[in-house]
Amino acid sequence: MTFNGVNVSCLRKKKGHTAQCICLVDHSGNRTMRPCLSNAVKVQAHELVREDFKGSKWLVLRYAILNLEVIQAAISLAKQEGLLVSLDLASFEMVRKFKAPLMKLLESGNIDLCFANEDEATELLRDEHNADPVAAVEFLAKYCKWAVVTLGHNGCIAKHGKQMVRVPAIGEAKAIDATGAGDLFASGFLYGMVKGLSLEECCKVGACSGGSVTRSLGGEVTLENRQWMYKQMQIRDLRMPDVLCK
């Protein structure tokens, strides 16, 4: 992470077990994950301090019931420092089993941006007559300033205020491995937000970054695929990372 320019000064180091996760990928590139977090060391809510958030613009979170106290503490401190908060719904199983606490988070008004994939969006509206992606974006937009539903090879739908955009996927028609695609999409979208890009441009950057990781096996973007991503951004006249412009 340091090699890639990530500031890890706030990283906590503890003795104990690291969480494990098995990623299963089928011949179509679809993936599922089976994590084991039971005995893993974790950051505790009382360990977070305001200094952890100073100078940042966004707090990026994934919904998980095991970390709910940490999530709530982090949001509270982040808001004290004026940060915007992004929440990824993490998995349709998490939404199905722990929908009530999730709705409390959304209803608090502290979630500025919410990401959901198509399965998570469908699960969120399971009891509704209309559970399509557009309805899910509309639903999330009632609680968040920005709402995004990713649709795999069909791209994404996003809404901010009265504006709604639909952007097609960028990349191979058939993914080799979708592991990491959601996280990479979110990172690209958030990059666009930090750089002040439009809603449509944020989606396009997300599509470029998300598409880059599906071109090979594993959740890490290879150098070749990183260059592919930059080329796709250039073709679409999207703002490139500053490090590439120097």
Side-chain angles (χ1 to χ4, degrees):
M1 292 178 74
T2 301
F3 177 79
N4 285 286
V6 179
N7 182 347
V8 295
S9 61
C10 293
L11 185 69
R12 271 37 170 211
K13 298 179 181 179
K14 296 184 176 183
K15 292 182 178 180
H17 295 283
T18 297
Q20 299 180 48
C21 182
I22 296 175
C23 299
L24 306 173
V25 185
D26 68 16
H27 68 281
S28 298
N30 299 310
R31 67 100 186 101
T32 189
M33 296 182 179
R34 300 292 90 187
C36 178
L37 311 175
S38 57
N39 63 346
V41 291
K42 301 179 182 71
V43 172
Q44 302 298 317
H46 68 270
E47 295 174 327
L48 299 177
V49 294
R50 287 183 63 169
E51 286 295 323
D52 292 329
F53 303 91
K54 285 189 180 296
S56 298
K57 295 181 179 180
W58 282 89
L59 170 63
V60 181
L61 298 168
R62 285 176 64 81
Y63 180 59
I65 197 67
L66 292 174
N67 295 335
L68 190 57
E69 287 187 10
V70 178
I71 289 173
Q72 293 168 333
I75 290 173
S76 176
L77 292 169
K79 287 300 179 181
Q80 291 176 44
E81 289 298 318
L83 275 67
L84 295 167
V85 175
S86 163
L87 181 69
D88 188 307
L89 297 194
S91 81
F92 74 91
E93 292 168 310
M94 194 66 66
V95 175
R96 176 184 297 170
K97 295 178 181 178
F98 306 106
K99 184 176 178 180
L102 170 60
M103 288 307 304
K104 284 187 178 181
L105 276 178
L106 294 173
E107 290 166 356
S108 71
N110 288 325
I111 307 301
D112 300 287
L113 164 61
C114 188
F115 292 104
N117 64 29
E118 194 167 5
D119 290 338
E120 294 152 5
T122 300
E123 193 61 49
L124 193 62
L125 298 183
R126 171 179 282 269
D127 299 326
E128 305 292 328
H129 295 299
N130 185 9
D132 61 66
V134 173
V137 168
E138 295 277 11
F139 179 82
L140 289 170
K142 292 191 294 186
Y143 305 102
C144 311
K145 296 184 182 72
W146 296 272
V148 185
V149 174
T150 57
L151 306 171
H153 66 274
N154 290 317
C156 71
I157 304 174
K159 185 173 184 184
H160 173 53
K162 294 182 179 181
Q163 182 187 16
M164 183 181 290
V165 299
R166 185 162 193 154
V167 171
I170 297 171
E172 311 300 329
K174 182 179 179 181
I176 294 175
D177 180 5
T179 303
D183 291 334
L184 265 294
F185 176 92
S187 70
F189 189 96
L190 285 164
Y191 162 85
M193 295 288 291
V194 170
K195 297 300 184 182
L197 303 187
S198 69
L199 181 64
E200 184 174 3
E201 288 173 324
C202 288
C203 289
K204 287 181 178 179
V205 178
C208 290
S209 55
S212 69
V213 77
T214 68
R215 292 163 51 83
S216 59
L217 194 65
E220 187 173 348
V221 180
T222 64
L223 179 59
E224 178 184 348
N225 290 338
R226 189 186 298 264
Q227 294 303 320
W228 176 90
M229 176 181 69
Y230 294 148
K231 181 179 180 180
Q232 298 303 316
M233 291 176 66
Q234 286 180 320
I235 290 172
R236 291 159 180 79
D237 197 28
L238 298 169
R239 180 170 175 177
M240 302 292 287
D242 294 337
V243 67
L244 298 177
C245 301
K246 294 178 180 179

